[in-house]
Amino acid sequence: MINRISLSLVLILTLFLGSVVTPAWAQEPAPPAASAPAEAGAIDFAAWEAEASRAENIIAAGTASTAFLANLRNTLVAWRARFLEGQGANATRIATIQAQLTALGPPPAEGESEPAAIAERRAQLATQLAEAQVPRVTATEAFNRANGLIGEIDAILAARQARALLERDPAPVNPLHWGTALAALGDVVMDLDREIEAKIATQRRADQSPWDRLPFAGLLGLVGLGLLTRSRYFVGRWTERVQMRLGARRGRIALAFLVSLLQVLLPMVGLILFGVAVATVDVLGASGIALLGSGIGVFAAIFAALWLAGRLFPVNEESPGALGAALELRPALRRAVVTIGVFLGLGGFAETLSTLDAVPLEARGIFVLPVYLGLAWGFYRLAALIRRVRRAELAARGSEAEEPSGDTGFAGRSIAIIGQLLRLVAVAGPLLAAAGYLNLTEAIMTPTAMTLGLIGLLLALQGPIRDLYALISGKSYDEAAQALLPVLLNLLLILSALPVVALIWGMRPEQLGEVYERLSAGFTLGDTRITPGIVLAVILVFTIGLFATRMMQGALRSTILPRTKMDVGARNAVSSGVGYVGIALAAVIAITTAGIDLTALGVVLGALSVGIGFGLQNVVSNFVSGIILLIERPISEGDWIEVGPTMGIVKAISVRSTTIETFDKTDVIVPNTDLIAGTVTNWTRGNTIGRAVVLVGVAYGNDTRRVQEILLEIARGHPDVAKYPEPGVDFLGFGADSLDFRVRMILRDINKLVAVKTEVHHQIAERFKEEGIEIPFAQRDIWLRNPEALRPPSEALPQAAAPQKDEPA
């Protein structure tokens, strides 16, 4: 519901704001439409030839008006649509004849012959095929011709639009034109007065009086005035009350957003009632009605800007708003947004005023230049505030030079770019207007303001979409902000707004329709035309096949396979195999259902397979190894295996890798190729019986036979050690520091290996202590080759300096 309301609001704002701005170049009224081709029946190519020749002559002359060319273009578009449909004529008949030719076998090579009956039949079928393909070939040729004529008309219209943008009006900064503008305002007031008097006089001659309808018009005006002045206040109070009552519950933001829409809708209703009241009195002429419509557009733009500013930068500190703006910056941001809305509406009023008959060309620039200066101030002020918000965001992250990462970083950089563009428009727009390029100024500044409004609307919709997702999914708002689905919905909104942006920036509806037609026409792959409808059909059929495959896998896992004698690994292998086969079948069925010939993709896939074979050989090798693991099942989920330095429990086996959970609770991803090509120790494959080995050493001098008896008693007495085969004790030999023994025990459950060895070690230590058997530790004797080197220097020097007895003193 929120998406429909938001899209409706986009269209409403676009219509109101679009009606505010009158194009600088007026187009001539469209002439009566040329006769379009008939809706049903075969294509009348004779009528098309006449229409195409007429269009070529008009294009060659280059004198037709813009409106006439637009009408001619619509006629050609209608013809082109029929030709596109005609390209599929006799498709079933052509396929049947081609199948018959295939059944006859390949034609004989040069110099060879075939039976006369087959040759005659082949010639007949070839003739029938050529005749069946005539409508298709003719429609294709006509389609290309119509497409070319449409392209020529588009080029002419684009050139005229470019010339209109570059037209230069009298410069508004020239003081000689200021008096003319003031005089024009007086003339407009006099024209309005004459129109009102003429209307009243006409009604009096018809024995009617406008004052008879004044009470009803006054009532409508009072209701409209009340909605204009008080509705925003009451709706704002209602919105705050809704937020306070719901507190932090899910759905609060979406409901408050829906209620706040009344701040735009109710004033719009008031404006409409006010306009109906004026129309009821019926005293305004053409100029008065035009100015009244522009005035309504001014207020519509103001109310839309007020609502958007409140949603983007709320007063409440608990509401985050858009751009992450701090609370102290929000009032200035709201004023900047409202300023842009006010001058956008005034721009439409000024353009309407300048198109009146009483206003000369020299006065137009003087009327619109102040409006563009106001817009420029709003753009520049908004850009400066965006820069402050951006700096505050970077400072909060710890460094102004550090760029944020992720989605926030992308959004921040995008907003920074928008701020730079706003500064550029704020400087260039008034300069162009002052120089007299009013059409170019309008084509730059007005779409910029409207695009800002559309961007603001998309930003305002992000919070309600996340809140609705949190309400539906049961997650918190913060969790919904990190989810993928709200991001996809926002992306869908952005994509749906692109046509509106194109129309705002001057793209003609015909050009937008041309883009849609080209997308609808698709492209040709072999003998098959790929269109968006075919792509959607492929996606839909594949999704249905994928869903059916998942349902089948779920039924196998929960109902069928548990009733068999297969182990868990075999069940997973069967379920995975069904999944791969189902996905492959779903893809093939989806492609063939859409009418795509798989043979047309054979060459492309064959060429890609070479590159895939070289670039993804490791991936393919792991994939094949995964298939082998699932078929042969040398390991299964839950097995205790050892692969190189990795030992742990198998948690999952996929087509590319196997996940092993080590005993320190870390997951190790092992490529399947290592499990197939390397050495794998499976401790629990088939059964859980395994052997435990304990090594122990005793000091020299102990009774070795007594030690062996003690170790056997300990091994035989443990409850997890199997009685048969019985445990054994080996006297390994004479070590450097001890007499070495080895205890061999067969365990009923190898998964208890560590616990059994720990308990055996405890019992050995306890029994050896009771028996007085010493467990030695390593001992080493140190021999010093020069012991005198360890004497202190103070003792060594006097002896060396003492005189010998036989030497004289």
Side-chain angles (χ1 to χ4, degrees):
M1 180 177 182
I2 186 67
N3 292 338
R4 293 197 297 269
I5 292 177
S6 62
L7 291 177
S8 301
L9 183 59
V10 171
L11 295 177
I12 290 173
L13 292 178
T14 303
L15 290 175
F16 271 96
L17 297 181
S19 63
V20 171
V21 183
T22 304
W25 53 95
Q27 295 184 350
E28 300 178 14
S35 58
E39 293 294 334
I43 300 176
D44 188 356
F45 286 100
W48 159 246
E49 181 64 31
E51 185 68 32
S53 300
R54 184 177 76 92
E56 290 172 349
N57 293 332
I58 293 174
I59 293 173
T63 56
S65 65
T66 299
F68 187 87
L69 287 177
N71 188 42
L72 178 61
R73 186 188 185 281
N74 294 334
T75 303
L76 295 176
V77 168
W79 277 105
R80 184 180 62 180
R82 295 205 63 196
F83 296 145
L84 180 61
E85 182 180 357
Q87 291 181 12
N90 298 334
T92 305
R93 178 61 180 162
I94 292 172
T96 302
I97 297 174
Q98 289 177 342
Q100 291 177 282
L101 287 172
T102 303
L104 294 178
E110 186 177 356
E112 298 180 357
S113 61
E114 62 180 349
I118 297 179
E120 182 180 358
R121 183 57 179 164
R122 189 187 303 277
Q124 293 175 356
L125 292 175
T127 304
Q128 294 176 10
L129 180 62
E131 293 176 355
Q133 288 178 339
V134 169
R136 173 183 292 186
V137 174
T138 307
T140 303
E141 183 274 334
F143 175 86
N144 293 330
R145 186 179 183 184
N147 201 39
L149 292 174
I150 293 172
E152 293 181 24
I153 293 177
D154 286 339
I156 294 174
L157 295 178
R160 291 182 178 181
Q161 186 175 5
R163 286 197 300 269
L165 288 176
L166 296 178
E167 287 181 357
R168 185 177 180 184
D169 293 319
V173 294
N174 189 351
L176 297 178
H177 304 318
W178 296 353
T180 305
L182 292 177
L185 288 177
D187 294 339
V188 169
V189 173
M190 295 178 61
D191 285 348
L192 290 176
D193 183 64
R194 284 194 295 267
E195 287 181 354
I196 293 174
E197 291 180 355
K199 277 282 186 178
I200 294 175
T202 302
Q203 293 181 12
R204 286 176 178 175
R205 285 193 296 269
D207 294 333
Q208 297 177 357
S209 175
W211 314 120
D212 297 338
R213 297 183 293 272
L214 189 60
F216 178 70
L219 179 61
L220 291 178
L222 289 176
V223 174
L225 185 62
L227 291 175
L228 286 174
T229 56
R230 304 301 297 172
S231 62
R232 290 194 70 258
Y233 171 76
F234 288 111
V235 172
R237 295 288 301 274
W238 188 16
T239 304
E240 293 178 0
R241 189 176 304 171
V242 168
Q243 291 179 338
M244 292 177 60
R245 287 185 177 181
L246 293 180
R249 285 185 288 180
R250 291 184 292 267
R252 170 181 59 90
I253 298 177
L255 183 58
F257 180 85
L258 291 177
V259 174
S260 69
L261 288 176
L262 296 175
Q263 289 184 321
V264 178
L265 296 180
L266 292 180
M268 295 292 184
V269 173
L271 290 173
I272 294 174
L273 291 177
F274 190 80
V276 172
V278 175
T280 301
V281 179
D282 193 19
V283 295
L284 294 180
S287 299
I289 293 175
L291 292 177
L292 176 63
S294 298
I296 292 176
V298 172
F299 285 100
I302 292 173
F303 282 113
L306 287 171
W307 173 82
L308 194 59
R311 298 309 304 173
L312 293 178
F313 313 108
V315 180
N316 189 359
E317 186 177 2
E318 297 178 356
S319 301
L323 308 182
L327 187 63
E328 61 271 13
L329 292 178
R330 294 181 187 180
L333 287 166
R334 288 195 296 269
R335 288 193 297 269
V337 173
V338 174
T339 299
I340 294 174
V342 169
F343 283 101
L344 178 63
L346 291 176
F349 185 85
E351 289 289 350
T352 302
L353 180 63
S354 63
T355 57
L356 298 179
D357 296 335
V359 179
L361 182 63
E362 295 81 2
R364 179 195 174 193
I366 298 174
F367 291 157
V368 300
L369 180 59
V371 174
Y372 293 144
L373 289 174
L375 268 180
W377 166 249
F379 291 160
Y380 190 83
R381 182 59 178 163
L382 183 61
L385 292 172
I386 288 176
R387 188 175 182 180
R388 290 180 61 184
V389 171
R390 179 65 172 163
R391 286 181 176 177
E393 178 186 0
L394 294 177
R397 291 178 176 270
S399 172
E400 293 190 0
E402 180 183 358
E403 286 291 335
S405 59
D407 296 339
T408 304
F410 174 76
R413 287 191 293 270
S414 301
I415 293 173
I417 293 174
I418 292 175
Q420 295 175 0
L421 293 177
L422 285 179
R423 285 194 292 271
L424 179 61
V425 173
V427 174
L431 292 179
L432 291 173
Y437 294 100
L438 303 180
N439 293 340
L440 184 58
T441 304
E442 179 188 3
I444 293 175
M445 301 196 71
T446 300
T448 299
M450 297 176 69
T451 304
L452 284 176
L454 189 58
I455 293 174
L457 179 61
L458 295 176
L459 290 175
L461 285 172
Q462 289 186 2
I465 289 176
R466 293 171 182 171
D467 192 42
L468 283 177
Y469 177 76
L471 179 63
I472 295 173
S473 62
K475 299 180 179 179
S476 65
Y477 183 82
D478 294 335
E479 292 175 344
Q482 302 299 325
L484 177 62
L485 185 58
V487 176
L488 295 179
L489 290 177
N490 286 321
L491 179 60
L492 183 61
L493 280 178
I494 293 174
L495 293 178
S496 63
L498 290 180
V500 180
V501 174
L503 292 174
I504 288 175
W505 282 94
M507 177 177 280
R508 301 190 310 275
E510 311 88 61
Q511 291 176 311
L512 196 60
E514 180 68 17
V515 174
Y516 174 77
E517 289 292 336
R518 290 185 180 275
L519 292 176
S520 300
F523 61 94
T524 302
L525 181 62
D527 296 332
T528 305
R529 178 174 290 276
I530 307 298
T531 63
I534 291 178
V535 174
L536 291 177
V538 170
I539 295 175
L540 179 61
V541 175
F542 179 76
T543 302
I544 294 175
L546 183 61
F547 178 75
T549 301
R550 298 307 183 200
M551 291 290 291
M552 177 65 71
Q553 286 181 296
L556 287 174
R557 292 194 191 101
S558 60
T559 306
I560 299 176
L561 293 179
R563 302 176 186 273
T564 64
K565 297 181 179 180
M566 297 181 182
D567 58 9
V568 178
R571 297 174 194 173
N572 293 334
V574 172
S575 178
S576 299
V578 170
Y580 299 141
V581 174
I583 292 174
L585 289 177
V588 172
I589 293 173
I591 293 175
T592 54
T593 302
I596 301 175
D597 188 5
L598 292 178
T599 58
L601 301 176
V603 178
V604 178
L605 295 178
L608 290 176
S609 62
V610 178
I612 292 174
F614 283 103
L616 300 178
Q617 54 182 340
N618 292 332
V619 176
V620 174
S621 176
N622 289 324
F623 180 82
V624 175
S625 300
I627 298 298
I628 294 174
L629 288 176
L630 293 175
I631 294 176
E632 294 185 353
R633 294 183 291 110
I635 61 174
S636 302
E637 293 185 7
D639 286 354
W640 174 11
I641 68 173
E642 183 177 359
V643 184
T646 303
M647 177 185 292
I649 307 299
V650 177
K651 286 299 181 182
I653 302 175
S654 64
V655 293
R656 191 194 67 83
S657 61
T658 297
T659 303
I660 301 176
E661 182 181 343
T662 62
F663 296 115
D664 55 359
K665 298 302 180 181
T666 59
D667 289 341
V668 178
I669 309 300
V670 179
N672 288 332
T673 305
D674 295 347
L675 300 176
I676 295 298
T679 301
V680 180
T681 302
N682 195 330
W683 293 84
T684 58
R685 182 62 180 170
N687 56 68
T688 58
I689 297 176
R691 190 178 77 163
V693 176
V694 175
L695 300 177
V696 63
V698 299
Y700 279 90
N702 289 299
D703 186 356
T704 57
R705 296 191 182 276
R706 180 56 183 164
V707 171
Q708 184 175 4
E709 292 174 359
I710 295 173
L711 294 177
L712 280 174
E713 291 176 6
I714 293 174
R716 290 169 180 169
H718 198 285
D720 292 322
V721 176
K723 303 300 181 182
Y724 181 84
E726 64 179 9
V729 177
D730 302 325
F731 182 17
L732 298 181
F734 305 93
D737 304 301
S738 63
L739 302 173
D740 298 330
F741 291 84
R742 177 178 63 189
V743 183
R744 294 175 285 102
M745 301 169 289
I746 301 299
L747 305 183
R748 297 186 181 91
D749 188 357
I750 193 63
N751 293 310
K752 298 181 180 180
L753 175 63
V754 177
V756 171
K757 292 179 70 173
T758 300
E759 180 61 25
V760 169
H761 285 150
H762 282 301
Q763 294 185 16
I764 290 174
E766 293 169 357
R767 288 293 303 275
F768 280 7
K769 183 178 181 181
E770 294 175 0
E771 298 289 339
I773 299 174
E774 180 184 358
I775 299 177
F777 52 86
Q779 298 182 5
R780 295 293 182 267
D781 293 333
I782 301 175
W783 177 73
L784 299 178
R785 185 173 182 179
N786 299 315
E788 64 277 2
L790 300 177
R791 296 176 181 175
S794 58
E795 297 180 2
L797 289 176
Q799 294 179 1
Q804 299 293 330
K805 293 181 179 181
D806 55 352
E807 291 181 1

